[in-house]
């Protein structure tokens, strides 16, 4: 009989690094924050085509919406361990905080034993996302791989 060794055990406290994002606004450089362009030689204004577009989802003339990612760490408690052999082999965990039995599956490489390590990971993840990198599956997998023990 074979024994499958896992990195984490039932009831063990672990940490997950992730990011949230929020919108903030900067002044539109094209219109100086007025939301309008003055037509040269005429006493007429038109809406700025950068920040005051008709039908825009953001109705905030004079402002440009930007997004920033913020580092976060969540504490989780292992509630279930699932090991798969064969196709798509690996170990995933279900945690009490996200639903054991019907909740989120946490890949082993996205969980960490030390909170300080998770904080450093979350900070690096936020910096990477704020630099404009799009985090697809392969990029995310490679990112967390470097944080494995």
């Amino acid at each position: 009989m074979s024994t499958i060794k896992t990195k984490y055990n039932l009831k063990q406290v672990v940490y997950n690094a992730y990011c949230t994002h929020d919108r903030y606004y900067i002044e539109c450089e094209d219109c100086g924050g007025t939301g309008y362009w003055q037509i040269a030689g005429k006493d007429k204004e038109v809406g700025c085509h950068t920040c005051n577009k008709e039908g825009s989802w953001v109705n905030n003339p004079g402002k440009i919406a930007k997004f920033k990612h913020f580092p976060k760490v969540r504490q989780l408690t292992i509630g279930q361990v699932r090991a798969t052999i064969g196709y798509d082999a690996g170990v995933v965990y279900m945690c009490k905080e996200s639903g054991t039995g019907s909740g989120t599956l946490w890949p082993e490489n996205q969980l960490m034993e030390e909170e300080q390590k998770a904080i450093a990971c979350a900070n690096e993840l936020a910096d990477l996302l704020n630099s404009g990198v799009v985090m697809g599956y392969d990029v995310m997998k490679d990112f967390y791989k470097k944080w494995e023990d």
Side-chain angles (χ1 to χ4, degrees):
M1 177 190 283
S2 296
T3 302
I4 298 173
K5 296 201 184 254
T6 60
K7 190 173 182 178
Y8 306 113
N9 299 309
L10 291 176
K11 299 182 182 177
Q12 183 175 352
V13 172
V14 293
Y15 301 90
N16 169 255
Y18 70 105
C19 288
T20 60
H21 68 281
D22 202 359
R23 180 174 45 215
Y24 68 99
Y25 295 92
I26 61 170
E27 184 178 281
C28 177
E29 294 179 11
D30 290 346
C31 66
T34 65
Y36 297 92
W37 290 338
Q38 182 72 40
I39 297 177
K42 303 210 180 210
D43 191 22
K44 184 169 170 97
E45 293 180 331
V46 294
C48 174
H49 286 255
T50 303
C51 67
N52 195 5
K53 296 177 184 174
E54 193 172 311
S56 173
W57 64 275
V58 177
N59 190 8
N60 201 351
K63 304 288 182 192
I64 302 290
K66 298 283 186 175
F67 289 90
K68 184 173 181 177
H69 295 268
F70 299 94
K72 299 281 186 181
V73 171
R74 66 183 127 224
Q75 180 178 307
L76 300 165
T77 308
I78 303 296
Q80 188 179 89
V81 181
R82 292 185 182 185
T84 308
I85 49 177
Y87 175 77
D88 203 21
V91 177
V92 294
Y93 300 85
M94 295 189 100
C95 298
K96 292 179 181 179
E97 294 81 0
S98 61
T100 301
S102 63
T104 304
L105 294 173
W106 298 94
E108 196 165 60
N109 69 346
Q110 291 184 17
L111 300 174
M112 298 169 194
E113 287 186 64
E114 300 164 19
E115 184 177 21
Q116 291 304 319
K117 183 177 178 181
I119 290 169
C121 178
N123 286 329
E124 186 174 320
L125 180 59
D127 289 344
L128 186 64
L129 291 169
N130 287 327
S131 75
V133 171
V134 176
M135 294 298 277
Y137 175 77
D138 289 336
V139 175
M140 186 72 85
K141 188 175 173 185
D142 289 343
F143 174 80
Y144 279 109
K145 189 175 280 190
K146 73 184 220 175
W147 288 93
E148 291 178 12
D149 291 328

